[in-house]
PDB file of all heavy atoms in Angstrom:
ATOM      1  N   LEU M 407       1.114   1.243 -29.191  1.00  0.00           N
ATOM      2  CA  LEU M 407       1.244   2.643 -28.804  1.00  0.00           C
ATOM      3  C   LEU M 407       2.710   3.044 -28.794  1.00  0.00           C
ATOM      4  O   LEU M 407       3.590   2.235 -28.474  1.00  0.00           O
ATOM      5  CB  LEU M 407       0.661   2.863 -27.405  1.00  0.00           C
ATOM      6  CG  LEU M 407      -0.850   2.743 -27.263  1.00  0.00           C
ATOM      7  CD1 LEU M 407      -1.246   2.711 -25.807  1.00  0.00           C
ATOM      8  CD2 LEU M 407      -1.525   3.903 -27.976  1.00  0.00           C
ATOM      9  N   ASN M 408       2.946   4.290 -29.165  1.00  0.00           N
ATOM     10  CA  ASN M 408       4.306   4.810 -29.126  1.00  0.00           C
ATOM     11  C   ASN M 408       4.229   6.298 -28.817  1.00  0.00           C
ATOM     12  O   ASN M 408       3.593   7.043 -29.551  1.00  0.00           O
ATOM     13  CB  ASN M 408       4.984   4.565 -30.481  1.00  0.00           C
ATOM     14  CG  ASN M 408       6.416   5.065 -30.481  1.00  0.00           C
ATOM     15  OD1 ASN M 408       7.035   5.179 -29.423  1.00  0.00           O
ATOM     16  ND2 ASN M 408       6.923   5.361 -31.660  1.00  0.00           N
ATOM     17  N   GLY M 409       4.842   6.687 -27.716  1.00  0.00           N
ATOM     18  CA  GLY M 409       4.877   8.104 -27.352  1.00  0.00           C
ATOM     19  C   GLY M 409       3.502   8.748 -27.280  1.00  0.00           C
ATOM     20  O   GLY M 409       3.325   9.879 -27.704  1.00  0.00           O
ATOM     21  N   GLY M 410       2.519   8.036 -26.758  1.00  0.00           N
ATOM     22  CA  GLY M 410       1.200   8.621 -26.568  1.00  0.00           C
ATOM     23  C   GLY M 410       0.327   8.601 -27.813  1.00  0.00           C
ATOM     24  O   GLY M 410      -0.756   9.171 -27.819  1.00  0.00           O
ATOM     25  N   ARG M 411       0.810   7.972 -28.898  1.00  0.00           N
ATOM     26  CA  ARG M 411       0.019   7.887 -30.126  1.00  0.00           C
ATOM     27  C   ARG M 411      -0.152   6.437 -30.524  1.00  0.00           C
ATOM     28  O   ARG M 411       0.663   5.598 -30.181  1.00  0.00           O
ATOM     29  CB  ARG M 411       0.735   8.606 -31.266  1.00  0.00           C
ATOM     30  CG  ARG M 411       0.670  10.096 -31.159  1.00  0.00           C
ATOM     31  CD  ARG M 411       0.790  10.744 -32.542  1.00  0.00           C
ATOM     32  NE  ARG M 411       0.538  12.160 -32.415  1.00  0.00           N
ATOM     33  CZ  ARG M 411       1.435  13.027 -31.932  1.00  0.00           C
ATOM     34  NH1 ARG M 411       2.630  12.599 -31.596  1.00  0.00           N
ATOM     35  NH2 ARG M 411       1.124  14.290 -31.801  1.00  0.00           N
ATOM     36  N   VAL M 412      -1.240   6.188 -31.280  1.00  0.00           N
ATOM     37  CA  VAL M 412      -1.445   4.844 -31.809  1.00  0.00           C
ATOM     38  C   VAL M 412      -0.591   4.674 -33.062  1.00  0.00           C
ATOM     39  O   VAL M 412      -0.662   5.483 -33.978  1.00  0.00           O
ATOM     40  CB  VAL M 412      -2.927   4.614 -32.161  1.00  0.00           C
ATOM     41  CG1 VAL M 412      -3.099   3.278 -32.865  1.00  0.00           C
ATOM     42  CG2 VAL M 412      -3.773   4.665 -30.906  1.00  0.00           C
ATOM     43  N   GLU M 413       0.240   3.635 -33.081  1.00  0.00           N
ATOM     44  CA  GLU M 413       1.031   3.354 -34.285  1.00  0.00           C
ATOM     45  C   GLU M 413       0.241   2.468 -35.237  1.00  0.00           C
ATOM     46  O   GLU M 413       0.312   2.624 -36.441  1.00  0.00           O
ATOM     47  CB  GLU M 413       2.329   2.639 -33.905  1.00  0.00           C
ATOM     48  CG  GLU M 413       3.359   3.528 -33.252  1.00  0.00           C
ATOM     49  CD  GLU M 413       4.219   4.287 -34.271  1.00  0.00           C
ATOM     50  OE1 GLU M 413       4.352   3.801 -35.414  1.00  0.00           O
ATOM     51  OE2 GLU M 413       4.749   5.358 -33.909  1.00  0.00           O
ATOM     52  N   GLN M 414      -0.460   1.505 -34.652  1.00  0.00           N
ATOM     53  CA  GLN M 414      -1.212   0.582 -35.495  1.00  0.00           C
ATOM     54  C   GLN M 414      -2.241  -0.142 -34.652  1.00  0.00           C
ATOM     55  O   GLN M 414      -2.002  -0.441 -33.485  1.00  0.00           O
ATOM     56  CB  GLN M 414      -0.266  -0.456 -36.129  1.00  0.00           C
ATOM     57  CG  GLN M 414      -0.965  -1.360 -37.132  1.00  0.00           C
ATOM     58  CD  GLN M 414       0.008  -2.227 -37.917  1.00  0.00           C
ATOM     59  OE1 GLN M 414       1.184  -2.315 -37.574  1.00  0.00           O
ATOM     60  NE2 GLN M 414      -0.477  -2.862 -38.959  1.00  0.00           N
ATOM     61  N   ILE M 415      -3.404  -0.406 -35.256  1.00  0.00           N
ATOM     62  CA  ILE M 415      -4.402  -1.245 -34.610  1.00  0.00           C
ATOM     63  C   ILE M 415      -4.723  -2.370 -35.569  1.00  0.00           C
ATOM     64  O   ILE M 415      -4.951  -2.129 -36.754  1.00  0.00           O
ATOM     65  CB  ILE M 415      -5.699  -0.462 -34.311  1.00  0.00           C
ATOM     66  CG1 ILE M 415      -5.400   0.719 -33.389  1.00  0.00           C
ATOM     67  CG2 ILE M 415      -6.741  -1.376 -33.676  1.00  0.00           C
ATOM     68  CD1 ILE M 415      -6.625   1.509 -32.993  1.00  0.00           C
ATOM     69  N   GLY M 416      -4.726  -3.589 -35.082  1.00  0.00           N
ATOM     70  CA  GLY M 416      -5.058  -4.690 -35.979  1.00  0.00           C
ATOM     71  C   GLY M 416      -4.958  -6.015 -35.273  1.00  0.00           C
ATOM     72  O   GLY M 416      -4.465  -6.109 -34.147  1.00  0.00           O
ATOM     73  N   ALA M 417      -5.449  -7.059 -35.935  1.00  0.00           N
ATOM     74  CA  ALA M 417      -5.321  -8.408 -35.400  1.00  0.00           C
ATOM     75  C   ALA M 417      -3.834  -8.749 -35.319  1.00  0.00           C
ATOM     76  O   ALA M 417      -3.033  -8.195 -36.072  1.00  0.00           O
ATOM     77  CB  ALA M 417      -6.054  -9.391 -36.302  1.00  0.00           C
ATOM     78  N   PRO M 418      -3.456  -9.669 -34.403  1.00  0.00           N
ATOM     79  CA  PRO M 418      -2.039  -9.992 -34.244  1.00  0.00           C
ATOM     80  C   PRO M 418      -1.349 -10.358 -35.554  1.00  0.00           C
ATOM     81  O   PRO M 418      -0.264  -9.860 -35.840  1.00  0.00           O
ATOM     82  CB  PRO M 418      -2.077 -11.175 -33.283  1.00  0.00           C
ATOM     83  CG  PRO M 418      -3.303 -10.978 -32.488  1.00  0.00           C
ATOM     84  CD  PRO M 418      -4.287 -10.329 -33.391  1.00  0.00           C
ATOM     85  N   VAL M 419      -1.989 -11.177 -36.386  1.00  0.00           N
ATOM     86  CA  VAL M 419      -1.351 -11.551 -37.656  1.00  0.00           C
ATOM     87  C   VAL M 419      -1.152 -10.350 -38.557  1.00  0.00           C
ATOM     88  O   VAL M 419      -0.115 -10.221 -39.207  1.00  0.00           O
ATOM     89  CB  VAL M 419      -2.182 -12.595 -38.445  1.00  0.00           C
ATOM     90  CG1 VAL M 419      -1.386 -13.846 -38.658  1.00  0.00           C
ATOM     91  CG2 VAL M 419      -3.516 -12.844 -37.811  1.00  0.00           C
ATOM     92  N   GLU M 420      -2.172  -9.501 -38.592  1.00  0.00           N
ATOM     93  CA  GLU M 420      -2.060  -8.292 -39.418  1.00  0.00           C
ATOM     94  C   GLU M 420      -0.856  -7.465 -38.995  1.00  0.00           C
ATOM     95  O   GLU M 420      -0.061  -7.019 -39.814  1.00  0.00           O
ATOM     96  CB  GLU M 420      -3.286  -7.403 -39.225  1.00  0.00           C
ATOM     97  CG  GLU M 420      -4.448  -7.663 -40.155  1.00  0.00           C
ATOM     98  CD  GLU M 420      -5.661  -6.872 -39.685  1.00  0.00           C
ATOM     99  OE1 GLU M 420      -5.536  -5.645 -39.454  1.00  0.00           O
ATOM    100  OE2 GLU M 420      -6.712  -7.499 -39.515  1.00  0.00           O
ATOM    101  N   VAL M 421      -0.773  -7.248 -37.689  1.00  0.00           N
ATOM    102  CA  VAL M 421       0.306  -6.406 -37.184  1.00  0.00           C
ATOM    103  C   VAL M 421       1.651  -7.068 -37.455  1.00  0.00           C
ATOM    104  O   VAL M 421       2.630  -6.409 -37.785  1.00  0.00           O
ATOM    105  CB  VAL M 421       0.112  -6.157 -35.670  1.00  0.00           C
ATOM    106  CG1 VAL M 421       1.289  -5.401 -35.088  1.00  0.00           C
ATOM    107  CG2 VAL M 421      -1.181  -5.415 -35.429  1.00  0.00           C
ATOM    108  N   TYR M 422       1.661  -8.379 -37.371  1.00  0.00           N
ATOM    109  CA  TYR M 422       2.910  -9.096 -37.606  1.00  0.00           C
ATOM    110  C   TYR M 422       3.261  -9.088 -39.094  1.00  0.00           C
ATOM    111  O   TYR M 422       4.405  -8.836 -39.472  1.00  0.00           O
ATOM    112  CB  TYR M 422       2.760 -10.542 -37.114  1.00  0.00           C
ATOM    113  CG  TYR M 422       3.985 -11.392 -37.306  1.00  0.00           C
ATOM    114  CD1 TYR M 422       5.023 -11.366 -36.366  1.00  0.00           C
ATOM    115  CD2 TYR M 422       4.110 -12.219 -38.416  1.00  0.00           C
ATOM    116  CE1 TYR M 422       6.150 -12.137 -36.529  1.00  0.00           C
ATOM    117  CE2 TYR M 422       5.241 -12.996 -38.593  1.00  0.00           C
ATOM    118  CZ  TYR M 422       6.255 -12.957 -37.649  1.00  0.00           C
ATOM    119  OH  TYR M 422       7.369 -13.716 -37.820  1.00  0.00           O
ATOM    120  N   ASN M 423       2.275  -9.345 -39.928  1.00  0.00           N
ATOM    121  CA  ASN M 423       2.554  -9.482 -41.360  1.00  0.00           C
ATOM    122  C   ASN M 423       2.680  -8.161 -42.086  1.00  0.00           C
ATOM    123  O   ASN M 423       3.381  -8.081 -43.086  1.00  0.00           O
ATOM    124  CB  ASN M 423       1.445 -10.298 -42.043  1.00  0.00           C
ATOM    125  CG  ASN M 423       1.546 -11.761 -41.674  1.00  0.00           C
ATOM    126  OD1 ASN M 423       2.627 -12.233 -41.300  1.00  0.00           O
ATOM    127  ND2 ASN M 423       0.432 -12.463 -41.741  1.00  0.00           N
ATOM    128  N   ALA M 424       1.985  -7.144 -41.597  1.00  0.00           N
ATOM    129  CA  ALA M 424       2.026  -5.859 -42.299  1.00  0.00           C
ATOM    130  C   ALA M 424       2.190  -4.720 -41.313  1.00  0.00           C
ATOM    131  O   ALA M 424       1.269  -3.922 -41.107  1.00  0.00           O
ATOM    132  CB  ALA M 424       0.747  -5.679 -43.130  1.00  0.00           C
TER     133      ALA M 424
END
Side-chain angles (χ1 to χ4, degrees):
Chain M
L407 291 169
N408 181 24
R411 286 206 172 77
V412 173
E413 286 275 335
Q414 186 171 12
I415 300 182
V419 240
E420 270 170 51
V421 174
Y422 180 84
N423 287 337

